[in-house]
Amino acid sequence: MAVNTSAEAPLPVGEVSRLIGGWIDRLGAVWVEGQITQLSRRPGAGVVFLTLRDPSYDISVGVTCYRQVFDAVADVVSEGARVVVHAKPEWYAPRGQLSLRAAEIRPVGVGELLARLEQLKKSLAAEGLFAAGRKKPLPFLPQLIGLVCGRASAAERDVLENARHRWPAVRFEVRNVAVQGVHAVPQVVQAVKELDALDDVDVIIVARGGGSVEDLLPFSDEQLVRAVASCRTPVVSAIGHEPDNPLLDFVADLRASTPTDAAKKVVPDVGEEYERVRLLRDRARRCMAAFVEREERGLAHALARPAMEDPHRMIDARAADVDALLERGRRCFGHQLDRALSELTHTHARVVALSPAATLKRGYAVLQRADGHVVRAPDEVAPEEALRARVAEGEFTVRVDA
């Protein structure tokens, strides 16, 4: 229940602690799962002190139990083990400290762990985190590789030595982290996020050597899987050996069977690439030589044609044709002019023969009245009417006799 307080009416620390203790006392016993990070088992003491930690988050809580409760599982439980505890929350008012009073402790077996991992795998796969369409391709030649591994570990040595043997110029940005135990998940997640934030990093390798199922559990943690799924940089999983398959293998963009295999898959071999370049260069040289030879044959064939051996031959032949056609055109045009001149001469002769001037030259005359009309009949004139007579050499006036 809420407590009414103010700056003028505050609660004492003891009262606040008492109220918190009252609220916690009303909680019933709960089953809690976690990983034992600290174990204090003093000789002769009747109480065993544990620290139970959530592997996925930086959260811990103290646990106390009677010695006989812990002795029941002492042979199979130690620091780093996963356990399920049936406990009741308790509040220690003088120090304001929360703890759990355990009545039963059960170790989490391998079979149960595998069953939980399989259930988590199905759940994450249903979300599409393992889909092939989400996989990002690796760069052909990464300039800077991010490496997440244990400090001075065999996995780090295998990746660095094999990668530099294959491509001596390759560079690494290494993040040494805990690869097992309670601190592994947050450290690996933090390292992956740091490398993903660097623009120069082209690919990230998360590497660890082989181990038991419990040792590889951090690489099946849901928090790590989701952190890798959200990376914009391609991630390569190189955890354990070939049979090991943590969930990181399914969400990573590429799965390598071992750290050595990761180096081989991420970094190209300089000798192989040099040989490939040599083969491609020889192939290009052969293709170019064949092309030049083919073009030379085509050019020689073209130059062997008559038109190319004597380019003026075609022009000379066409010039003779042009001269013949020109001469033929001139003759045809001359014939046409001669025919037209003959026709014009004949027409002119007919016109001259039929003209009135020619008739007048033969002794004929044309009589015209004063108004200019030509006289064609005797009844068209009157006695004593003056007429004008037109002859070949001129004209004169005549008068009609009664």
Side-chain angles (χ1 to χ4, degrees):
M1 295 177 62
V3 178
N4 294 324
T5 62
S6 65
E8 291 74 18
L11 287 177
V13 174
E15 181 65 15
V16 173
S17 182
R18 185 189 66 79
L19 290 174
I20 294 175
W23 294 333
I24 292 177
D25 286 340
R26 288 196 293 271
L27 297 176
V30 293
W31 287 97
V32 182
E33 180 184 357
Q35 189 174 25
I36 297 177
T37 58
Q38 293 181 358
L39 175 59
S40 178
R41 190 181 178 191
R42 299 174 183 175
V47 178
V48 177
F49 296 91
L50 312 172
T51 299
L52 205 60
R53 187 176 187 279
D54 188 333
S56 301
Y57 303 95
D58 192 14
I59 299 176
S60 301
V61 63
V63 180
T64 60
C65 66
Y66 291 113
R67 189 179 188 86
Q68 56 268 27
V69 173
F70 185 81
D71 287 344
V73 294
D75 295 337
V76 293
V77 169
S78 60
E79 287 190 6
R82 282 178 176 261
V83 294
V84 175
V85 177
H86 189 238
K88 185 180 185 306
E90 291 184 345
W91 181 257
Y92 186 60
R95 293 185 181 177
Q97 183 176 358
L98 175 67
S99 64
L100 299 176
R101 171 70 66 173
E104 183 180 356
I105 300 176
R106 296 181 184 179
V108 178
V110 175
E112 186 176 358
L113 285 176
L114 293 178
R116 293 183 182 180
L117 289 181
E118 186 63 26
Q119 184 178 4
L120 178 59
K121 176 182 175 181
K122 292 180 179 179
S123 175
L124 296 175
E127 294 183 28
L129 297 186
F130 303 158
R134 299 184 69 259
K135 308 293 184 184
K136 295 178 285 294
L138 269 62
F140 166 70
L141 181 59
Q143 300 299 313
L144 181 62
I145 300 175
L147 177 60
V148 181
C149 59
R151 184 180 302 277
S153 61
E156 179 182 8
R157 183 179 63 255
D158 290 344
V159 173
L160 295 180
E161 290 182 357
N162 283 278
R164 286 168 179 161
H165 176 72
R166 293 173 63 84
W167 198 276
V170 69
R171 296 182 295 118
F172 280 90
E173 184 73 23
V174 181
R175 293 291 186 274
N176 293 123
V177 297
V179 292
Q180 68 181 58
V182 295
H183 302 293
V185 173
Q187 290 186 15
V188 173
V189 170
Q190 180 65 25
V192 169
K193 290 183 177 179
E194 288 180 3
L195 293 174
D196 185 52
L198 298 177
D199 295 333
D200 295 338
V201 174
D202 299 319
V203 63
I204 300 173
I205 300 177
V206 182
R208 186 202 189 281
S212 63
V213 175
E214 294 85 350
D215 293 339
L216 300 182
L217 279 179
F219 299 95
S220 293
D221 187 86
E222 182 178 358
Q223 183 184 2
L224 176 59
V225 170
R226 294 189 180 278
V228 171
S230 62
C231 285
R232 59 178 181 83
T233 307
V235 178
V236 177
S237 173
I239 306 300
H241 302 299
E242 181 66 34
D244 300 322
N245 285 289
L247 297 186
L248 181 63
D249 286 351
F250 299 96
V251 74
D253 299 291
L254 179 68
R255 188 249 178 184
S257 57
T258 62
T260 300
D261 184 51
K264 292 180 179 180
K265 289 183 175 180
V266 172
V267 181
D269 184 81
V270 65
E272 294 177 359
E273 296 305 320
Y274 179 80
E275 181 65 17
R276 183 178 291 109
V277 169
R278 187 187 66 79
L279 293 176
L280 291 174
R281 184 174 55 198
D282 293 342
R283 180 183 176 187
R285 184 181 293 111
R286 290 194 302 270
C287 292
M288 183 58 66
F291 173 77
V292 172
E293 183 180 355
R294 184 172 62 253
E295 294 301 317
E296 286 180 346
R297 288 197 303 267
L299 182 59
H301 178 72
L303 292 175
R305 298 178 62 182
M308 297 299 294
E309 289 183 346
D310 186 7
H312 295 284
R313 178 184 300 176
M314 184 182 295
I315 298 176
D316 294 340
R318 293 296 179 267
D321 294 340
V322 171
D323 293 340
L325 291 174
L326 182 59
E327 182 62 26
R328 181 181 174 184
R330 287 174 177 173
R331 290 197 304 270
C332 291
F333 189 64
H335 294 331
Q336 293 289 341
L337 291 178
D338 293 342
R339 187 182 302 112
L341 179 60
S342 177
E343 292 179 356
L344 181 60
T345 302
H346 294 158
T347 302
H348 181 266
R350 289 196 299 270
V351 170
V352 171
L354 297 176
S355 66
T359 304
L360 295 179
K361 285 183 178 181
R362 292 198 298 269
Y364 292 92
V366 177
L367 295 178
Q368 293 177 318
R369 300 180 65 183
D371 56 6
H373 286 84
V374 177
V375 178
R376 292 180 176 83
D379 56 358
E380 291 182 357
V381 298
E384 299 298 331
E385 182 179 356
L387 300 178
R388 186 174 56 194
R390 185 177 178 182
V391 295
E393 299 298 333
E395 62 180 26
F396 56 85
T397 302
V398 297
R399 188 174 299 279
V400 179
D401 190 2

